[in-house]
Amino acid sequence: MAGVFLARSASRLSSSSSALSRSAYLFPSLSSSSPAPPPSNPSPRSATTFPPPARHLADLRSPISHRALVRSSAAVADRFERRFATMASKNSYESILTTLSKPGGGDFGKYYCLPALTDPRIDRLPYSIRILLESAIRNCDEFQVTGKDVEKILDWENTSPKQVEIPFKPARVLLQDFTGVPAVVDLACMRDAMKKLGSDPNKINPLVPVDLVIDHSVQVDVARSQNAVQANMELEFHRNKERFGFLKWGSNAFSNMLVVPPGSGIVHQVNLEYLGRVVFNNGGLLYPDSVVGTDSHTTMIDGLGVAGWGVGGIEAEAAMLGQPMSMVLPGVVGFKLSGKLRNGMTATDLVLTVTQMLRKHGVVGKFVEFYGICFNVPQKSCHYCKYVPEYGATMGFFPVDHVTLQYLKLTGRSDETVAMIETYLRANRMFVDYSQPQTERVYTSYLELNLEDVEPCISGPKRPHDRVPLKEMKSDWQTCLDNKVGFKGFAVPKESQNKIAEFSFRGTPAQIKHGDVVIAAITSCTNTSNPSVMLGAALVAKKACELGLEVKPWIKTSLAPGSGVVTKYLEKSGLQKYLDQLGFNIVGYGCTTCIGNSGELDEAVSAAISENGTLRRVHPLTRANYLASPPLVVAYALAGTVDIDFEKEPIGTSKDGKKVYFKDIWPSNEEIADVVQSSVLPDMFKETYKAITKGNPMWNQLSVPSSTLYTWDPTSTYIHEPPYFKDMTMSPPGPHPVKDAYCLLNVGDSITTDHISPAGSIHKDSPAAKYLMERGVAPKDFNSYGSRRGNDEVMARGTFANIRLVNKFLKGEAGPKTIHVPSGENFLYLMLPRDTKARHNTIVLAGGEYGSGSSRDWAAKGPMLQGVKAVIAKSFERIHRSNLVGMGIVPLCFKPGEDAETLGLTGHERYTIHLPSNVELAYYDHGGILPYVIRSLIKANN
C-alpha cells in the first residue's frame, strides 16, 4: 500500500453534504395514493428581463484594463445611461443611488448607498449578508427581484432561521476547463436550438462576465526533469488540441467571455491575483464583486472580500444567461480568531483545526464569517476559505480590511483602482477597519480559536477532513492498517503488514512496503497561492540539501505552481535549485495530481505496488492519500514513509554520517517571513499578468472558425452535439409524475460525484473505452473522462462507471453493473439505451451525503441521459442537488431517521412519485433549466 502526499488543503473527495433547501424531507408516496403536500415556496419567476451584456473581455491585455472592465468604453457608457434611465423607472430604490466622490476631486461613479436607507438593521448585519442586500437592491425590478426579497435580507435576524428563499444575481461566473467545456458546449447547442425555433441564436450570450481558466488538463507525464514543463505542455496540447480549439472558438464566438490559455496557472490563484475585481465599475455603476464558480473551491476568493462559492455547471450556465439564483437566506457563524501561531506551525495546521471545529459545530448551508485578526490574503484564501467544502458551509468569508488593500497593490492593481475599492466599501459600510471601534454584528452562532492552541497536523488517509496530529501520525497509520475497510481503515492482515516487495529501479536494487511514499506532489490547487508555505518548503529543501539528504529516486516528486508568479519568487529567492535537487522540478501550471492527473508511475514501481493491493483516487495504484502543507510534503518525501515518528525517529543520515531529525530541517517563522519580504514583489505580478490572454505559441497556432454557430463534427470523440434540445418545441412538457419507475441503483452513504461521473482515467475494459476503440482511438490516447466532458456519448457511458461504486443489488461486488428487472441478470449500464428497462423511468436510492465532492455537472447530466428521473437519499451535497434539479431530476429526501433499509425497500419495487408545484419543479416541467431559459429568452424578445 503506497502512500501519496499532496500539498493541498483538501481533496475532491470531500464530505460537504447539506440539508435540502426546498424539497427537504419531501418523500412522496411510493404508490399512486397519498401524494405529499406541496411545500410553501414562492411561485416561479419567469425570466424576461436581463442586464445588458458587458464588453467582450478577450481582447483586454493589461491587468488594469481587465479589472476596470468597461470604464473606458464610450459605447458601454452610453448603454449604461440608457439602462440607467430604464432602471430608474423600475427600481424601487433609485432614491438611494448616490455619486461616489473621489478623495482628490471628481467622482468614481454612482452606487446604491446602503446607509441612505437609514435602517438601523444594516449595521448589525454580517458583512457577507450586506453583499446579498446590495445585490438585491441593485437588481430590484419587482419581477425577478422584488422589494419583499430586499426586506427579507434586511430582516435577516428574523428571517434566516425560517429558511426563506431569496434570489441572487452574482456579478460574474468563473469556470475551469473540465467544467467549462460542457458549459460552452451547452451554449453552442442552445444557439442551435434558438435557430431551430425560429429565433435569433445570437441571443445566447453570457450576460455577466465569464472567466474561463484552462487549468485542469495538464498531466505529470514527465517529472524530476528541467524539461518537464515544456514536455508536459506538448503532451497536453497533443491530447487536448480539439478541446482547446473549441474553447478558443468560444472565446471569439461569445461576447463577455474571457478565456485564460493553458499554462497560465490554476483557476483559483489566477482569480485571486488577477481576475478578482473586489468592486466593479461597470460603465459608471459601482457594486461589489461576487462570483459563482464551477469548482467547489471557488470559495478561495472569499479571502479577498469577494463573496463566492461553488455551483453546478448547469446553475452556472443559468446565471450566465441572466437567471437569478434561488438560495436560502443563510445563517452566519461568526468565527473569532485570536493570538499568534507558535513557531513552526503553518497555516495548513491551523485550517485543519478550524475545519474540525466547524464540522463539529455544524455549518452546513451557512456562511462562516471570520474576524479578529488581519491575516494576509493568501493565508485567508488558501486555508480558511478554500476548505469550505470540507467543513460543509456555503462560504467562509473575510471582509475587506487594510491588509486586503495591501495585497491588491502587491498583485499589481493600480493605486486608482485600490482607492476606488476602499472609498466605495467604506462609504457602503462593507469595509472593516480594525483601528476603529467595532460595531456589534449579530451572528447566528459564535466560535473562537486561540491560534496558540494549534499543533502540527496532516489529514487522511482518504478524506481531507480526517485530521491527524503529526505526533500521532505513526500510531494512526498503524491503526489504519488494522481497522476494517473504511475511511480510516484498510484491513491489512497482520502477517502482510510488514511485507516487503523487492524490485529493480533502473538497475539499482530497491524495495517498497506499506506506508512508503511513491508520490510527493506540491500541487497548484490552492497552497501555491500562499508564498509563505511555498518558500517554507523551499527552505526545508535547502536545509536538507546542505545536510546531504536525498529523496529516493523512485518517488515521483513534482511541483505545479498556481501561476508564473511562484516561479519568479522561487527564482528570486535562490531556493528553486534546492527543490530541483530533491526532484521537485516544476512540471506545469495547473491542477495536476490532486484530480488524478499524476501520470504513470515507473513500471517497476507499479509492479511492486501491485503485489500489495490496489486503488484510490490520486493514482490507481495508491490506496492512502495524505494531505499536508508543502514543507511537510518535502519532509515526508525525504523520510520516504509515513510510518515514522518525527519527534523520535531520524529522517535520514547526513553526509557526515550523523542522524538528521525533523527539527534540523524545519525553518522558523522568522526565516520564512524574511524570505517572503525580500522575494515576493509587485513587479512579478504585473509582468506575469500583463500578457496573460496572449497565450503561448501552441495556443496561438490553433486555427478556429470565426462563425457564431459551431460546426459539429460527428466523428469527434471530444466535442459532440448533445441531445438535450433534439425534439424541443416552444411548448414545455408540463407537470408530470414519475410513474412505475424501476430502481437503477441502490447505494450507501458518501457516494461522491467521482463515483457517479469519474474524472480520471478511462479503464480499458469500460463501456467508454469500447466506444472509443470502435472509433479508432488507441488506449494510449483515451485521455481522461474529465478531458472528454464535451462528448455526451463518452460521458453517458462513464456514468456510474467508477470501479469502486458498490451497488447493493450486487451484494458487495463493485463495478458498473446493475440488476435487470424482472430477469434478475447482471448487466452493464452500456446496455441501458438498448434495453427494455430504458423505456421506463428509473430512480436511484442512496444514503447520506449523496453527490459530495467536486461540482461535476455530468454527475447530473449522465443519469438524466440514462433515464433517471429521481434520486431518493438521506441527504445531498448542495451543489449536486442543484445540478440534479437543473437537469430535470428530482432530488428527494427520506424523512429524518428513515432510509431505504428502515423502510424495507430493496430496490426491486416499482416507484410512482407525485410531485407538488414549486419554483424548481418549473424547471422540471420544462425538461430542465436550459430549455426553460431558451423558451424564456424567445418569449422575452417576441
Side-chain angles (χ1 to χ4, degrees):
M1 184 187 304
V4 176
F5 268 88
L6 304 182
R8 293 181 54 217
S9 298
S11 161
R12 303 294 181 186
L13 290 178
S14 64
S15 180
S16 54
S17 65
S18 69
L20 301 191
S21 60
R22 277 151 288 211
S23 49
Y25 311 133
L26 173 63
F27 187 66
S29 63
L30 302 180
S31 65
S32 59
S33 61
S34 304
S40 56
N41 286 310
S43 300
R45 296 185 179 91
S46 174
T48 56
T49 59
F50 304 94
R55 179 182 172 194
H56 192 296
L57 297 180
D59 61 342
L60 299 176
R61 303 301 184 192
S62 74
I64 304 306
S65 62
H66 181 193
R67 294 190 190 97
L69 280 175
V70 294
R71 289 168 54 194
S72 62
S73 170
V76 173
D78 180 63
R79 183 165 69 237
F80 166 72
E81 292 297 332
R82 295 197 304 272
R83 174 178 178 248
F84 173 72
T86 303
M87 285 173 52
S89 63
K90 283 184 170 184
N91 196 305
S92 305
Y93 295 91
E94 71 270 13
S95 62
I96 67 168
L97 198 62
T98 306
T99 298
L100 183 69
S101 299
K102 291 183 177 180
D107 63 78
F108 290 111
K110 294 182 180 294
Y111 72 107
Y112 284 91
C113 179
L114 300 186
L117 291 173
T118 63
D119 192 317
R121 294 175 293 181
I122 293 176
D123 286 338
R124 291 171 58 82
L125 291 176
Y127 286 99
S128 51
I129 299 299
R130 297 180 198 187
I131 293 176
L132 301 184
L133 175 63
E134 190 282 338
S135 175
I137 288 173
R138 176 166 36 88
N139 290 293
C140 183
D141 58 2
E142 297 301 336
F143 191 66
Q144 289 186 326
V145 183
T146 70
K148 290 182 179 179
D149 296 319
V150 173
E151 175 58 28
K152 290 176 185 176
I153 304 173
L154 273 169
D155 200 32
W156 171 84
E157 285 186 60
N158 298 312
T159 53
S160 62
K162 300 176 183 178
Q163 294 282 288
V164 301
E165 293 184 17
I166 60 166
F168 175 64
K169 286 193 170 186
R172 60 188 174 97
V173 174
L174 183 70
L175 309 172
Q176 38 95 329
D177 59 311
F178 269 16
T179 52
V181 166
V184 179
V185 165
D186 289 351
L187 291 175
C189 192
M190 289 174 76
R191 277 193 172 175
D192 292 343
M194 291 286 281
K195 184 177 181 181
K196 290 176 184 176
L197 291 172
S199 189
D200 181 5
N202 292 319
K203 292 175 183 174
I204 300 295
N205 268 308
L207 297 177
V208 296
V210 175
D211 301 317
L212 192 159
V213 181
I214 302 176
D215 66 341
H216 273 52
S217 300
V218 60
Q219 299 187 37
V220 188
D221 295 286
V222 179
R224 302 188 78 145
S225 165
Q226 294 293 338
N227 188 47
V229 173
Q230 182 65 24
N232 288 326
M233 181 171 285
E234 289 174 358
L235 288 167
E236 179 184 5
F237 268 82
H238 172 72
R239 294 185 180 111
N240 299 284
K241 183 178 180 181
E242 192 174 347
R243 295 172 62 243
F244 292 170
F246 174 70
L247 289 175
K248 190 173 181 180
W249 166 82
S251 70
N252 296 323
F254 295 103
S255 63
N256 223 10
M257 180 181 289
L258 170 72
V259 174
V260 177
S264 303
I266 187 73
V267 60
H268 309 302
Q269 188 161 344
V270 174
N271 196 23
L272 274 177
E273 296 175 352
Y274 177 62
L275 299 173
R277 280 74 154 178
V278 186
V279 172
F280 268 87
N281 190 333
N282 192 345
L285 180 64
L286 283 73
Y287 50 92
D289 188 3
S290 59
V291 60
V292 293
T294 54
D295 190 294
S296 55
H297 296 126
T298 299
T299 49
M300 271 187 63
I301 198 65
D302 301 339
L304 196 64
V306 175
W309 57 86
V311 297
I314 300 104
E315 194 172 9
E317 291 172 39
M320 291 181 209
L321 296 169
Q323 290 291 301
M325 295 172 52
S326 183
M327 63 180 292
V328 171
L329 188 59
V332 182
V333 178
F335 199 125
K336 184 177 180 180
L337 299 164
S338 60
K340 184 178 180 180
L341 282 175
R342 290 178 289 118
N343 199 44
M345 302 300 108
T346 70
T348 304
D349 302 322
L350 174 56
V351 74
L352 291 173
T353 303
V354 169
T355 297
Q356 188 177 61
M357 290 178 65
L358 287 168
R359 285 184 64 84
K360 289 180 178 178
H361 188 71
V363 295
V364 170
K366 294 183 174 68
F367 289 175
V368 176
E369 191 163 294
F370 296 98
Y371 65 99
I373 292 180
C374 292
F375 288 106
N376 64 52
V377 170
Q379 287 178 330
K380 296 173 183 175
S381 299
C382 299
H383 305 292
Y384 299 93
C385 303
K386 184 263 183 182
Y387 230 63
V388 164
E390 279 63 52
Y391 53 73
T394 299
M395 184 168 70
F397 185 76
F398 284 86
V400 174
D401 55 29
H402 75 275
V403 177
T404 313
L405 301 179
Q406 292 171 5
Y407 179 80
L408 292 173
K409 291 181 179 180
L410 172 67
T411 51
R413 276 80 165 188
S414 70
D415 289 342
E416 182 180 358
T417 298
V418 175
M420 178 197 72
I421 291 170
E422 181 178 6
T423 305
Y424 170 82
L425 294 175
R426 285 186 181 275
N428 230 8
R429 296 182 186 171
M430 294 181 179
F431 185 90
V432 58
D433 189 339
Y434 286 110
S435 67
Q436 301 294 324
Q438 297 296 296
T439 303
E440 181 183 359
R441 294 181 297 281
V442 176
Y443 292 110
T444 306
S445 58
Y446 296 80
L447 283 172
E448 183 172 357
L449 174 66
N450 188 325
L451 274 58
E452 294 178 2
D453 297 333
V454 174
E455 59 181 336
C457 53
I458 63 175
S459 68
K462 298 182 182 182
R463 299 190 301 183
H465 52 269
D466 287 337
R467 176 177 170 271
V468 184
L470 196 62
K471 63 185 179 183
E472 299 174 12
M473 179 58 193
K474 182 181 178 75
S475 61
D476 188 83
W477 167 253
Q478 293 172 347
T479 300
C480 287
L481 289 177
D482 291 330
N483 287 347
K484 66 179 182 180
V485 174
F487 294 125
K488 294 289 289 186
F490 299 101
V492 177
K494 284 286 187 184
E495 62 273 16
S496 301
Q497 291 183 10
N498 295 316
K499 179 182 178 182
I500 295 176
E502 305 281 352
F503 67 102
S504 175
F505 183 80
R506 300 175 185 173
T508 302
Q511 55 182 225
I512 198 169
K513 60 183 178 61
H514 289 305
D516 282 0
V517 176
V518 293
I519 296 177
I522 301 176
T523 73
S524 66
C525 195
T526 70
N527 264 302
T528 65
S529 301
N530 187 350
S532 64
V533 293
M534 294 302 297
L535 289 166
L539 285 171
V540 170
K542 178 178 184 291
K543 291 173 181 287
C545 290
E546 289 173 345
L547 289 168
L549 300 185
E550 297 179 344
V551 175
K552 292 181 176 66
W554 56 82
I555 296 177
K556 189 167 188 177
T557 47
S558 62
L559 167 59
S563 80
V565 177
V566 180
T567 301
K568 287 181 172 63
Y569 66 64
L570 284 173
E571 292 290 350
K572 169 72 174 176
S573 69
L575 296 173
Q576 179 64 54
K577 62 183 179 182
Y578 299 108
L579 288 166
D580 291 347
Q581 189 173 328
L582 295 183
F584 286 95
N585 303 84
I586 295 175
V587 296
Y589 298 88
C591 192
T592 55
T593 304
C594 52
I595 58 163
N597 284 355
S598 56
E600 296 297 326
L601 293 173
D602 186 272
E603 291 182 3
V605 179
S606 297
I609 296 173
S610 296
E611 296 182 23
N612 287 347
T614 58
L615 193 93
R616 251 307 156 186
R617 153 130 185 61
V618 169
H619 189 278
L621 293 176
T622 62
R623 296 175 65 188
N625 308 297
Y626 284 92
L627 305 172
S629 66
L632 273 177
V633 170
V634 177
Y636 272 106
L638 289 163
T641 181
V642 300
D643 192 14
I644 183 174
D645 184 339
F646 277 151
E647 289 187 356
K648 300 176 181 178
E649 300 176 67
I651 286 179
T653 304
S654 69
K655 55 190 174 184
D656 58 4
K658 295 181 180 179
K659 293 181 179 179
V660 177
Y661 290 86
F662 178 79
K663 64 182 180 180
D664 298 327
I665 63 171
W666 198 256
S668 68
N669 292 353
E670 290 73 23
E671 287 178 278
I672 294 172
D674 287 345
V675 73
V676 170
Q677 181 70 25
S678 62
S679 303
V680 184
L681 306 173
D683 286 347
M684 296 176 177
F685 294 88
K686 293 177 181 178
E687 183 181 345
T688 298
Y689 288 110
K690 68 182 178 183
I692 192 170
T693 58
K694 291 181 180 178
N696 53 65
M698 285 180 277
W699 172 262
N700 295 333
Q701 289 167 11
L702 291 175
S703 178
V704 297
S706 58
S707 59
T708 57
L709 291 176
Y710 188 70
T711 303
W712 305 97
D713 179 0
T715 66
S716 172
T717 58
Y718 276 100
I719 307 297
H720 185 265
E721 182 178 11
Y724 311 137
F725 314 114
K726 184 177 180 181
D727 300 316
M728 181 180 170
T729 66
M730 280 301 295
S731 300
H736 53 287
V738 177
K739 297 185 66 175
D740 294 329
Y742 289 97
C743 182
L744 177 66
L745 289 168
N746 184 4
V747 294
D749 295 336
S750 297
I751 296 300
T752 69
T753 51
D754 194 64
H755 286 111
I756 305 167
S757 182
S761 59
I762 298 173
H763 194 273
K764 63 180 180 180
D765 297 324
S766 67
K770 181 179 179 182
Y771 171 86
L772 292 172
M773 286 188 288
E774 287 173 350
R775 283 151 184 80
V777 180
K780 67 180 179 65
D781 295 321
F782 280 175
N783 212 329
S784 63
Y785 282 111
S787 66
R788 292 189 180 272
R789 285 181 180 173
N791 188 307
D792 58 284
E793 295 282 2
V794 173
M795 298 309 293
R797 286 164 172 78
T799 303
F800 299 120
N802 189 308
I803 61 174
R804 295 295 153 182
L805 179 69
V806 177
N807 184 353
K808 292 183 180 180
F809 288 156
L810 305 179
K811 299 179 180 179
E813 179 186 351
K817 295 181 181 179
T818 190
I819 298 293
H820 182 268
V821 178
S823 71
E825 297 176 359
N826 291 12
F827 73 106
L828 292 171
Y829 297 131
L830 177 60
M831 296 173 59
L832 277 173
R834 305 169 187 167
D835 193 89
T836 304
K837 186 173 182 178
R839 300 192 190 120
H840 295 271
N841 294 333
T842 60
I843 68 161
V844 172
L845 293 176
E849 303 178 345
Y850 184 80
S852 59
S854 61
S855 54
R856 294 183 187 167
D857 56 347
W858 268 107
K861 290 178 176 177
M864 183 273 288
L865 292 177
Q866 289 189 352
V868 174
K869 301 298 181 184
V871 178
I872 308 173
K874 290 168 67 177
S875 64
F876 291 83
E877 194 278 332
R878 176 184 60 84
I879 299 174
H880 182 63
R881 178 192 173 282
S882 296
N883 272 342
L884 290 173
V885 170
M887 292 312 298
I889 297 175
V890 183
L892 303 173
C893 265
F894 290 103
K895 294 178 181 178
E898 295 183 350
D899 58 21
E901 291 184 3
T902 62
L903 293 173
L905 302 178
T906 65
H908 292 276
E909 304 85 1
R910 299 285 288 276
Y911 297 77
T912 291
I913 303 173
H914 295 277
L915 299 170
S917 175
N918 66 32
V919 68
E920 289 184 330
L921 288 171
Y923 299 147
Y924 175 79
D925 295 344
H926 277 259
I929 195 170
L930 299 184
Y932 174 87
V933 169
I934 288 175
R935 294 185 180 104
S936 298
L937 279 171
I938 293 175
K939 289 179 180 178
N941 291 278
N942 284 341

